[in-house]
């Protein structure tokens, strides 16, 4: 049986490429955290150069000849004489190679540069809440993404080509029924919640909470989750995110609003979930697909599992609420655990996706997916976005934002060229509940552990079942290995109906 040892000429080259990409990630992280505004244009060029170098190396004739030696180009598979890790490594490298090979180098460099510039234009447009300021960049990026879909190729919809970048194997045909099922039960559930006699007051979360103390509490929860600060950092950024340069250096960010306790708190837990995945990848495989996360849907499942299934559960706050009370004694005086638990789970249609409750969150995603699919399929134009957005908000959530900053300009994704990314949020939500239910079955004391603040058994379970495998299996295969079936909306819908049924006495 042939093993990874034989693949050394290939893995050495992959390692070089990964190091270039990691260097680019450091520059991106810096761009979002500490870079002075004046550095923007130069940074766009630096990033574009590194992206170009990495791409050039990946599609080099040398790489092609190495892969052709071991892979059947017709099937993209290696022969049975290889052991399983080698077969997976070859399959996934072939996937990356053949996708990259379809994109000309000049196109990759141009896309990277335009996206960096568009991101900067978006920041200004959002600050001023003026969509018109973002429109020229958006048109450029959209045009390039349509071109990219043509280069990559697709069967049914050009949107499939982009979707596959983030969630290998996912298609419009697979997602549409999933979204339809979700909508069919989420919309009536929202109506029942809104008609309930129970009203939840969350004004307690919007008093003044000291900036430093909020950050300290966020750090405390991250430590309890097992996020390793010897191999990580917590910094501030306009939008919370996680990035990894290596399993030994995984960065998370958050933001703090003094009048909004949940924002810093839940973004720390959310990004911590992402961070645990990246810290849990097998460092021996750094550089190869076996050392990378399997898909963005899986990545998001980790953050949503921690943020929602754990962080918004009553069990979690049994342990952490007394600590929070101790941190903010004046603000939380006289507020019971149950009142706090209800406040952090209040359902209300709102403008901002990242602050949405668990029930309305996926409605925010659906409207974005519909709009971006229409843009990529040429059924809508960039200049129509604000109107499309506001109509959809009204249709799904019954509200209309007063300004674009709270509407169409709120997300960074389109400026980054990340069309096809949004569906991974919903997939993440569905997977999160599937994994959490499975963990409950396999760790019988999980509830008690969480209530006692012992979160390490869950982290360990996730590491063993998901993190350490990297891209050894396809996303669907890995989901089946962990839970026995592929992605399904059923466990998620049951979980929400149960949770809000209790909270709102439905
Ligand atoms: Zn996330």
């Amino acid at each position: 049986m042939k093993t990874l040892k034989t693949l050394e000429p290939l893995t050495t080259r992959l390692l070089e490429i990964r190091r270039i990409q990691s260097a680019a990630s450091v520059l991106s992280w810096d761009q979002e955290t500490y870079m002075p505004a004046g550095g923007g244009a130069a940074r766009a060029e630096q990033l574009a150069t590194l992206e170009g170098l990495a791409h050039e190396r990946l599609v080099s004739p040398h790489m092609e000849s190495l892969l052709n030696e071991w892979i059947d180009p017709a099937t993209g598979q290696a022969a049975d004489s290889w052991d399983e890790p080698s077969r997976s490594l070859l399959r996934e490298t072939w996937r990356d190679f053949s996708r990259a090979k379809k994109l000309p180098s000049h196109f990759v460099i141009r896309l990277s540069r335009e996206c960096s510039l568009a991101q900067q234009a978006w920041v200004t447009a959002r600050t001023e809440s003026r969509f018109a300021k973002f429109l020229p960049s958006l048109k450029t990026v959209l045009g390039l993404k349509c071109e990219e879909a043509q280069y990559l190729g697709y069967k049914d919809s050009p949107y499939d080509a982009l979707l596959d970048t983030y969630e290998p194997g996912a298609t419009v045909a697979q997602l549409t029924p999933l979204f339809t099922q979700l909508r069919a039960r989420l919309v009536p559930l929202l109506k029942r919640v809104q008609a309930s006699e129970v009203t939840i007051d969350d004004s307690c979360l919007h008093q003044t909470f000291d900036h430093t103390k909020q950050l300290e509490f966020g750090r405390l929860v991250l430590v309890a989750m097992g996020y390793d600060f010897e191999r990580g950092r917590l910094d501030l950024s306009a939008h919370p995110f996680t990035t990894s340069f290596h399993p030994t250096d995984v960065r998370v960010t958050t933001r703090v609003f003094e009048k909004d306790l949940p924002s810093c708190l839940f973004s720390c837990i959310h990004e911590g979930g992402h961070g645990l995945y990246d810290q849990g990848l097998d460092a021996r495989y750094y550089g190869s697909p076996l050392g990378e996360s399997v898909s963005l849907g899986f990545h998001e499942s980790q953050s949503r599992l921690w943020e929602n299934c754990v962080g918004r559960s009553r069990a979690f706050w049994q342990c952490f609420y007394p600590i929070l009370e101790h941190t903010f004694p004046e603000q939380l005086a006289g507020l019971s655990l149950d009142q706090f638990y209800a406040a952090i789970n209040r359902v209300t249609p709102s403008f901002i996706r990242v602050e949405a409750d668990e029930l309305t969150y996926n409605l925010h995603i659906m409207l974005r997916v519909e709009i971006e699919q229409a843009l990529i399929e040429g059924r809508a134009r960039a200049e129509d976005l604000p109107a499309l957005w506001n109509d959809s908000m009204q249709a799904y959530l019954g509200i209309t934002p007063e300004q674009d900053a709270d509407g169409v300009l709120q997300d960074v994704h389109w400026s980054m060229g990340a069309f096809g990314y949004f569906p991974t949020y919903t997939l993440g939500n569905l997977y999160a509940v599937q994994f959490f239910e499975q963990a409950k079955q396999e760790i019988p004391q999980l509830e008690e552990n969480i209530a006692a603040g012992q979160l390490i058994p869950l982290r360990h379970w996730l590491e063993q079942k998901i993190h350490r495998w990297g891209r050894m299996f396809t996303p669907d295969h890995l989901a089946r290995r962990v839970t026995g079936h592929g992605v399904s909306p059923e466990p998620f819908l049951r979980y929400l109906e149960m949770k809000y049924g209790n909270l709102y006495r439905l």
Side-chain angles (χ1 to χ4, degrees), residues 195-215:
S196 159
E197 285 163 11
V198 177
T199 51
I200 293 174
D201 177 13
D202 70 349
S203 58
C204 56
L205 306 175
H206 302 285
Q207 309 169 68
T208 304
F209 295 91
D210 177 70
H211 181 105
T212 311
K213 284 185 176 176
Q214 284 198 49
L215 268 180

Side-chain angles (χ1 to χ4, degrees), residues 270-271 274 299-300 303 425:
H270 180 100
E271 302 306 330
H274 283 303
H299 227 304
E300 192 65 8
S303 58
Y425 289 120

Side-chain angles (χ1 to χ4, degrees), residues 18-82:
R18 172 55 65 205
R19 285 177 181 150
I20 296 171
Q21 288 167 334
S22 296
S25 301
V26 179
L27 292 186
S28 297
W29 170 83
D30 175 70
Q31 176 174 296
E32 302 302 316
T33 50
Y34 297 109
M35 188 190 76
R43 184 57 49 89
E45 296 304 326
Q46 292 155 354
L47 280 166
T49 302
L50 289 180
E51 303 280 351
L53 271 178
H55 182 260
E56 226 170 74
R57 283 179 184 237
L58 180 58
V59 299
S60 69
H62 184 62
M63 183 67 95
E64 184 158 23
S65 68
L66 283 173
L67 282 168
N68 278 333
E69 219 177 292
W70 297 312
I71 285 263
D72 174 1
T75 61
Q77 301 288 333
D80 288 339
S81 51
W82 292 93

